[in-house]
Amino acid sequence: MDHGFVSAVLVLLLGLTQPSLQGEDVVADVSTMIIEANKGMSHLLLEGDVALPMTRNAMKCLSQQCKWPKSASGLVEVPYKISTVFQSNDVNAIKKAMNGFATQTCIRFVPYAGQRNYLDIQSNGGCWSALGKQRGVQQVSLDTAGCISNGVIQHELLHALGFYHEHTRSDRDQYIKVNFENIRPENAKDFVKQDTNNLNTPYDYSSVMHYGKYAFSRGGDTITPIPDSSVTIGQRVGMGRIDIERVNKLYEC
């Protein structure tokens, strides 16, 4: 056997199995995936994936109108429809992400059965959702081209439940530095702090709602953790412990 040929094949296989550092950076967090999926969209979105109108936030809600209500059973039932454009594997991924709420919170995503308010899950160009419970039909877009992953789906469902991004919470300046000089000018608005009730939970660098270090960058990192700039921020797996804790606190599970 030609040992040179075998060596060359092994080197090629090794290269294919080792993750590219550049590739890892590209898919390191949910926000990177969402920003990529939302490129060139005509929809008017704030913070990259929050659909207008953005009139209320369940985390700073003075009434119960912006939260999904509890049923008599004590569970919070959120009706949904899933468009027929999704293939069966996409539907399974969406339902699996929904089940992640059911196993750890009192949120139950339930199939639409004539309810007045419900989520209409479409593949409608990019990944986005309105914020908190809206009246009537509330669209959530999970484009089949780039949004069907557990982290992205749970991220958008958390928006629908009423949660902003972690990097815009009211006390963020104690934990991150936003480098506006590195942000594309048209996206500076996506880094404005919001008036949030943080539910007495700690700032969470590993929240599925946190932007990555290079979100909307025109060169250099747009978000720097402080005081330790080496801290990893953002992820793409799904809800973390504090994400789950916040849902349970907000909805009094």
Side-chain angles (χ1 to χ4, degrees):
M1 181 177 292
D2 186 334
H3 292 289
F5 173 77
V6 172
S7 298
V9 170
L10 288 174
V11 168
L12 176 61
L13 290 175
L14 183 62
L16 291 173
T17 57
Q18 294 298 312
S20 160
L21 178 59
Q22 182 179 0
E24 285 295 294
D25 285 344
V26 169
V27 295
D29 60 87
V30 160
S31 68
T32 302
M33 300 171 72
I34 291 172
I35 290 166
E36 182 64 27
N38 290 355
K39 276 184 178 178
M41 280 186 51
S42 58
H43 294 83
L44 182 58
L45 300 175
L46 297 179
E47 295 187 20
D49 67 335
V50 178
L52 294 176
M54 197 170 85
T55 55
R56 52 183 181 257
N57 173 22
M59 294 178 70
K60 196 77 169 182
C61 182
L62 300 179
S63 72
Q64 294 300 309
Q65 298 304 308
C66 51
K67 295 197 300 185
W68 295 89
K70 279 189 175 180
S71 65
S73 67
L75 298 174
V76 178
E77 296 184 345
V78 182
Y80 70 88
K81 283 183 179 181
I82 298 179
S83 171
T84 56
V85 303
F86 291 102
Q87 300 296 317
S88 60
N89 58 323
D90 296 331
V91 173
N92 290 339
I94 294 169
K95 290 183 177 180
K96 181 179 178 181
M98 289 177 169
N99 190 55
F101 288 84
T103 59
Q104 301 174 94
T105 75
C106 61
I107 304 296
R108 299 293 185 272
F109 292 96
V110 298
Y112 172 77
Q115 295 92 334
R116 179 181 178 182
N117 305 313
Y118 66 93
L119 301 181
D120 183 23
I121 301 174
Q122 298 277 348
S123 175
N124 193 21
C127 327
W128 48 268
S129 171
L131 191 70
K133 180 178 74 68
Q134 308 291 317
R135 293 179 181 176
V137 182
Q138 178 172 338
Q139 193 167 118
V140 175
S141 179
L142 297 170
D143 197 274
T144 56
C147 307
I148 306 301
S149 75
N150 191 71
V152 172
I153 297 165
Q154 290 191 344
H155 180 105
E156 299 306 337
L157 292 176
L158 283 167
H159 279 319
L161 290 174
F163 291 92
Y164 278 117
H165 292 120
E166 188 75 354
H167 79 284
T168 63
R169 61 183 263 174
S170 57
D171 62 349
R172 63 103 183 272
D173 291 336
Q174 301 175 45
Y175 305 97
I176 62 171
K177 179 178 182 293
V178 177
N179 304 305
F180 283 97
E181 68 276 10
N182 293 337
I183 298 170
R184 297 199 299 259
E186 65 271 22
N187 296 114
K189 65 184 184 301
D190 300 322
F191 293 81
V192 174
K193 282 191 297 185
Q194 304 295 342
D195 182 20
T196 56
N197 171 4
N198 301 314
L199 301 167
N200 294 316
T201 59
Y203 191 89
D204 186 12
Y205 295 108
S206 61
S207 169
V208 77
M209 303 302 285
H210 206 304
Y211 271 19
K213 288 186 177 182
Y214 303 101
F216 296 112
S217 174
R218 61 175 179 178
D221 59 325
T222 55
I223 299 174
T224 303
I226 53 176
D228 183 359
S229 62
S230 67
V231 170
T232 300
I233 59 174
Q235 47 99 349
R236 61 191 176 106
V237 176
M239 290 188 296
R241 177 183 61 82
I242 299 176
D243 291 317
I244 294 164
E245 179 184 352
R246 285 181 190 141
V247 173
N248 286 325
K249 283 192 170 189
L250 178 62
Y251 283 93
E252 301 177 345
C253 295

